[in-house]
Amino acid sequence: MYFVYYLLPALCMIPIGVYLYFYLKRMAGWLHLDTKKLWVRLLAAGLSAFFALLASNIWGIWAVIVLHLVTFVLVTQLLYFLCRKIITSEGASRRLAKAYQCGLVPIVCTILVLGYGYWNMGHVVETRYTIHTKKEIREEGYQVAMISDLHYGTTMGPEKLERICRQIGDMNPDLVVLDGDIVDEATGFDELQEAVELLGSIPNTYGIFYVYGNHDRALYAENPDFTPAQLLESLEQSGIKVLRDESYQINGEFSIIGRDDRANPINGGRLSSEALLNGVDRTDFLLLLDHQPCELEENKQVGYDLQLSGHTHGGQIWPMGVFNGRLGFGEMNYGYRNMDGFQVIVSSGMAGWGYPVRTGSSSEFVSISISNP
């Protein structure tokens, strides 16, 4: 796994560095520098190696910048060769050659796309779903507000989170679901307390429910700023109900079942979908909270009514959403699916992990109306 996630991406930066070398040499020629001179070639090689080294951490912002730049260089190169075959005017051909040689188009495109990605990450929208059930629930149904993948501290401070919490509170939710990765390894202890205090203040009728994501307990960092015990204590002090392979019943008709995360389960494992329903009235509406959208077929067979998940970020950087399933991030990338009555909603999350850029989806919180047809 280390090879796939760290070493292989770093090795891929070697050919990318070589490609950048020729790109920079082309720009040097446009600047009327003699590309045959040693110092010019050494400068291009040094810059290429420097950027490739910065990008060798595939989870860092420099990897995003360099990969976008190289992609746009490849695209402009392809377009240049295609246009050269089509354009017959000598003057137009010269202007096209100069535009290509200067190499500025890929840089401008990279700035525009990542600038949009930065804005898009911070622009949180509400996404609404309506769920119908044949099970007997109260006439007015239930309103659920869902937040996942906040990764607090990446792109959001207290003022913005407080504003969103007020917006969610104005929806008068019956219950609020925090579906994992609310914090991560980069979150400071003060930020953790800040986040859970604000989230715990959202007005609701029946409670705020939390399940762990793969990042919440900061197990991927050697020296995180908080411990799992401190996280749990902060959540409980804020009145948030933590469900670790546990269930909670509302009104004798609506059961919330929270699963421990499959990546970092407590005590080395988590209960099966079937075992989670021991002691639960299966005539209740069964709401399953599982950070990662996995084991969907099994959950359908067991008899859950609705599963809420996050984790995938909807493919935070395009086109990662296309490959999320193949990379093991989950069985759904984003959105809604009805599997013969078992319904699944996967949120893209309120923020992202690692870098403050999102080009593959929107940042969101989710509102869900559950009612009889």
Side-chain angles (χ1 to χ4, degrees):
M1 191 61 69
Y2 179 85
F3 175 79
V4 172
Y5 285 103
Y6 295 98
L7 187 56
L8 181 60
L11 291 174
C12 289
M13 288 301 159
I14 296 174
I16 287 176
V18 173
Y19 187 72
L20 283 174
Y21 167 74
F22 290 103
Y23 167 65
L24 292 173
K25 272 188 65 178
R26 172 155 48 91
M27 292 184 69
W30 177 73
L31 292 170
H32 304 293
L33 299 176
D34 187 352
T35 56
K36 294 182 180 180
K37 289 189 175 181
L38 181 61
W39 74 269
V40 175
R41 286 182 289 172
L42 287 175
L43 179 62
L47 288 173
S48 302
F50 175 72
F51 287 119
L53 183 63
L54 285 176
S56 62
N57 174 17
I58 196 66
W59 309 112
I61 186 63
W62 274 105
V64 177
I65 294 171
V66 170
L67 288 173
H68 274 78
L69 176 62
V70 169
T71 299
F72 283 120
V73 172
L74 285 168
V75 170
T76 55
Q77 189 172 28
L78 176 62
L79 291 175
Y80 170 67
F81 285 115
L82 289 174
C83 291
R84 196 172 62 173
K85 294 181 180 298
I86 298 172
I87 296 175
T88 56
S89 168
E90 185 175 341
S93 295
R94 283 199 301 269
R95 289 192 293 272
L96 177 66
K98 287 182 180 180
Y100 168 70
Q101 189 179 25
C102 77
L104 294 178
V105 172
I107 295 174
V108 171
C109 289
T110 300
I111 292 171
L112 290 175
V113 168
L114 296 186
Y116 160 77
Y118 180 79
W119 171 86
N120 188 45
M121 175 70 87
H123 182 66
V124 180
V125 300
E126 176 189 356
T127 303
R128 299 180 181 181
Y129 295 94
T130 298
I131 300 297
H132 294 299
T133 178
K134 294 181 180 179
K135 289 187 173 177
E136 293 186 8
I137 59 175
R138 63 181 189 168
E139 185 177 351
E140 60 269 41
Y142 291 89
Q143 299 295 322
V144 180
M146 172 188 174
I147 295 172
S148 75
D149 301 278
L150 174 59
H151 293 277
Y152 189 72
T154 303
T155 60
M156 192 175 298
E159 296 83 7
K160 186 170 185 179
L161 180 57
E162 183 179 11
R163 185 168 66 251
I164 293 171
C165 289
R166 284 200 305 269
Q167 184 180 349
I168 294 172
D170 290 342
M171 295 160 42
N172 298 314
D174 292 303
L175 55 144
V176 178
V177 170
L178 306 177
D179 216 342
D181 284 359
I182 301 304
V183 294
D184 64 28
E185 302 81 6
T187 306
F189 180 62
D190 290 341
E191 290 178 317
L192 182 156
Q193 293 182 306
E194 191 173 76
V196 297
E197 182 178 341
L198 289 169
L199 293 168
S201 70
I202 299 175
N204 65 88
T205 305
Y206 297 109
I208 302 175
F209 302 88
Y210 182 103
V211 293
Y212 288 109
N214 56 308
H215 286 282
D216 284 300
R217 295 190 287 264
L219 300 179
Y220 298 126
E222 291 185 5
N223 298 298
D225 207 33
F226 62 90
T227 66
Q230 289 174 318
L231 169 62
L232 178 60
E233 182 182 9
S234 296
L235 290 165
E236 292 177 339
Q237 286 179 348
S238 296
I240 297 171
K241 299 176 178 66
V242 179
L243 299 180
R244 295 170 291 179
D245 285 353
E246 298 170 277
S247 63
Y248 187 95
Q249 190 184 54
I250 295 172
N251 290 339
E253 62 178 12
F254 191 111
S255 286
I256 306 165
I257 300 94
R259 298 199 76 175
D260 199 0
D261 182 64
R262 67 168 178 166
N264 295 311
I266 294 174
N267 300 325
R270 65 177 187 167
L271 295 179
S272 67
S273 299
E274 178 71 37
L276 278 169
L277 291 181
N278 289 340
V280 175
D281 187 344
R282 300 198 184 203
T283 64
D284 286 359
F285 182 89
L286 302 178
L287 173 61
L288 176 64
L289 310 180
D290 193 353
H291 175 64
Q292 302 190 40
C294 59
E295 301 172 14
L296 302 185
E297 185 62 33
E298 179 182 345
N299 296 336
K300 182 187 90 170
Q301 296 299 329
V302 168
Y304 290 98
D305 296 295
L306 173 63
Q307 176 172 335
L308 301 181
S309 296
H311 182 62
T312 66
H313 299 185
Q316 183 174 335
I317 302 294
W318 187 89
M320 287 302 296
V322 178
F323 306 105
N324 267 343
R326 295 180 178 86
L327 294 172
F329 286 104
E331 297 168 23
M332 276 180 63
N333 179 56
Y334 175 74
Y336 170 83
R337 181 184 297 177
N338 190 329
M339 301 171 62
D340 298 324
F342 170 57
Q343 301 176 77
V344 185
I345 293 173
V346 178
S347 173
S348 59
M350 195 180 282
W353 178 77
Y355 27 78
V357 175
R358 181 193 285 270
T359 58
S361 59
S362 297
S363 297
E364 66 177 12
F365 66 87
V366 176
S367 60
I368 305 157
S369 177
I370 302 173
S371 63
N372 293 127

